[in-house]
Amino acid sequence: AAAAADDDAEKTYRSCFTADGQLMPWFHGRLTRQQAKDLLAKSPPGTFLVRFSETNPDNFSLTYVDAGEKASDPPRPKHVLIYNLGQH
């Protein structure tokens, strides 16, 4: 079971790189929720980043800037868990 978990972690890690070995520009690695929120604090709605999930390290979290429901709502970062294909 440990070997399978190591294989899953390696696949997760490799998915953050392009075919030529460059890090995906939207991937920010091991950021906390607060660090992601701080990075996007002054960004326009629709701006996003992907990071490793703090609570589910074999998965990713998408942090994006939401415009809010009303025009008067200030943009704010939100977090969504992304499951890796094949794990769920």
Side-chain angles (χ1 to χ4, degrees):
D6 287 345
D7 287 344
D8 287 344
E10 179 64 23
K11 287 177 189 173
T12 298
Y13 178 76
R14 279 187 273 132
S15 67
C16 301
F17 293 88
T18 63
D20 63 350
Q22 298 296 312
L23 190 62
M24 296 290 193
W26 41 257
F27 181 68
H28 288 256
R30 297 196 187 283
L31 289 181
T32 64
R33 287 173 66 99
Q34 187 60 51
Q35 288 171 321
K37 187 176 175 180
D38 292 345
L39 273 175
L40 296 176
K42 296 182 180 183
S43 298
T47 305
F48 73 96
L49 62 83
V50 177
R51 59 188 173 82
F52 287 119
S53 170
E54 288 180 278
T55 55
N56 297 286
D58 289 337
N59 295 301
F60 298 103
S61 288
L62 169 70
T63 303
Y64 67 97
V65 180
D66 181 50
E69 292 183 25
K70 301 176 191 170
S72 60
D73 291 343
R76 64 186 182 110
K78 290 190 173 182
H79 311 275
V80 179
L81 183 64
I82 303 171
Y83 294 101
N84 286 330
L85 293 175
Q87 289 191 348
H88 296 278

